[in-house]
Amino acid sequence: MTATLGVPMRKVIFVQGGGLGQDQELSVRRLFAAAKVPVEFEVHLAGRIALEHGKDALPKATFDAIRECGLALKTKLLQPKGVGMPTAHGPSSVPTNYNVAFRRQLGLFASMRPVHNLPGIASRFTGVDFLLFREITEDLYTASEHEIVPGVVQSFKIVTEAACLRFFKLAFDTARKRGRKTVHCIHKANILKMADGLFLECFYRVAKEYPEIAAKDLIVDNTCNQLVSRPQQFEVLAAGNLYGDLLSDLGAGLVGGVSTTAAINKGNGTTVYEAVYGASHEAVPPDMSNPLPLILPAVELLKDLGAADAAARIQKAVEAVLLEGRTRTRDIGGTATTTAFTDAIIGRM
């Protein structure tokens, strides 16, 4: 393969979930072309759009391609139309959550969410810059539950030593690489003495291997209070599946909403950069979506590929457009189309 900007050309699997993800994909392609980045996309359809094309919602070929490549950029996978919320009396009628099943099929075990202010995006706080790690294989999300008798449902929280140790090792490794000096473990071990107790014990066991990083722990309810009081105090938060899910959205709210963040999902030899915000075109008309939810993980992808200069060019251009404030999509206070917003970013590059 040829080299661009001194970086070898890399193939990346692009997982298209449909809906506004299609406009987001076009925007990212245009930005990558303008920045001359060394990435070649191989597109695979998944979720509702794959069903509409007569394919499996979660095609085996897609997972095989991602395992072989090791890298993927993914939009939100849409569920089939007309799917409502599950109830205790109708679990068999509720299809698999495609996004959760996608992660499980690939063996992704942790999701990292960078939470930081974007210039030009209004928020209640400034100076926020932390990484939120969420374990994504177990906890209550194993969906191990049953109805004991009518009106009584029991759900199991699963916590294993092996999953905790690999999760915390990733969190501390990343903290070390990024120069972060503290890692907080988020838990409820005062109540769940065995499940969260094991989670906390594994945290401190791994922390001993990183003496230069201060290991701290915080009960989840106090964490929420601290985040909405003084979020600038945090550098890295590491939480289980449920707490991490809740704190992810809370963190996004601190800096302007879910369109301002990205998700980097890690497995053994596999990384998936994922848009955490997406909706169907029934809710957002064509060419009216905000491409930032895919641009931001795409920038993280470029950084990890060693194309830091291209990543910085795109990031600075995005920030310049947001600071100028004249061209914005409607969800962030403007009326611009996806195309116009992308044009403005390219114009700043």
Side-chain angles (χ1 to χ4, degrees):
M1 291 186 178
T2 59
T4 306
L5 299 177
V7 180
M9 183 68 72
R10 284 293 305 271
K11 181 174 77 172
V12 173
I13 305 304
F14 191 101
V15 183
Q16 176 56 260
L20 60 79
Q22 295 173 92
D23 286 334
Q24 291 173 340
E25 177 188 349
L26 181 58
S27 177
V28 167
R29 283 182 177 277
R30 292 185 61 208
L31 293 179
F32 276 24
K36 296 181 172 60
V37 298
V39 170
E40 177 185 10
F41 286 133
E42 178 181 304
V43 179
H44 289 250
L45 304 182
R48 184 203 296 176
I49 193 172
L51 295 175
E52 291 172 348
H53 283 75
K55 303 177 182 292
D56 292 336
L58 299 169
K60 179 179 181 299
T62 300
F63 297 119
D64 290 342
I66 294 172
R67 291 189 189 99
E68 181 181 355
C69 178
L71 294 169
L73 180 63
K74 172 182 172 292
T75 71
K76 193 89 167 180
L77 304 187
L78 302 184
Q79 297 296 115
K81 294 182 180 180
V83 173
M85 293 295 291
T87 69
H89 304 289
S92 61
S93 64
V94 180
T96 300
N97 182 302
Y98 294 143
N99 294 286
V100 173
F102 180 92
R103 298 172 196 149
R104 288 178 178 169
Q105 185 68 32
L106 280 175
L108 303 174
F109 64 84
S111 182
M112 183 184 80
R113 185 83 65 93
V115 179
H116 55 81
N117 294 102
L118 271 180
I121 296 292
S123 63
R124 292 183 178 274
F125 298 95
T126 59
V128 178
D129 183 14
F130 63 84
L131 303 174
L132 176 61
F133 283 86
R134 172 189 172 195
E135 203 285 330
I136 56 174
T137 67
E138 45 186 30
D139 202 322
L140 287 170
Y141 284 64
T142 58
S144 177
E145 56 184 3
H146 63 277
E147 189 173 50
I148 301 174
V149 295
V152 181
V153 174
Q154 185 177 51
S155 296
F156 294 95
K157 176 168 181 167
I158 309 299
V159 179
T160 65
E161 180 182 57
C164 291
L165 292 176
R166 70 177 178 181
F167 169 68
F168 287 124
K169 180 169 177 53
L170 174 66
F172 275 97
D173 277 345
T174 305
R176 173 179 281 171
K177 291 174 184 175
R178 298 197 177 204
R180 304 293 172 119
K181 300 303 181 183
T182 61
V183 176
H184 281 79
C185 174
I186 311 306
H187 64 91
K188 193 68 176 174
N190 59 321
I191 301 298
L192 299 170
K193 299 183 185 302
M194 295 185 70
D196 283 25
L198 175 60
F199 190 76
L200 186 59
E201 188 273 327
C202 289
F203 169 74
Y204 280 112
R205 196 191 313 176
V206 172
K208 292 178 182 178
E209 303 173 22
Y210 304 82
E212 77 280 16
I213 299 174
K216 302 180 180 183
D217 69 90
L218 203 58
I219 294 173
V220 64
D221 41 335
N222 187 24
T223 304
C224 294
N225 177 50
Q226 294 293 322
L227 279 171
V228 299
S229 302
R230 193 165 59 90
Q232 300 89 346
Q233 67 185 289
F234 296 108
E235 291 187 282
V236 178
L237 301 177
N241 213 338
L242 177 60
Y243 309 150
D245 193 4
L246 302 177
L247 294 175
S248 292
D249 278 4
L250 191 157
L254 296 175
V255 294
V258 291
S259 65
T260 64
T261 63
I264 300 95
N265 299 323
K266 293 283 187 176
N268 293 321
T270 304
T271 305
V272 177
Y273 301 81
E274 181 178 31
V276 296
Y277 168 77
S280 66
H281 275 161
E282 295 92 83
V284 181
D287 200 30
M288 292 301 295
S289 64
N290 183 352
L292 279 179
L294 192 65
I295 293 173
L296 297 178
V299 166
E300 295 293 334
L301 165 67
L302 292 179
K303 292 177 184 177
D304 291 344
L305 282 175
D309 289 345
R313 285 182 63 203
I314 295 173
Q315 183 75 32
K316 288 178 181 177
V318 167
E319 293 175 0
V321 171
L322 292 175
L323 277 171
E324 187 179 57
R326 291 191 300 181
T327 309
R328 297 175 180 235
T329 54
R330 63 186 185 183
D331 64 315
I332 51 175
T335 59
T337 62
T338 312
T339 300
F341 187 58
T342 307
D343 287 342
I345 298 171
I346 293 173
R348 286 289 190 161
M349 292 170 60

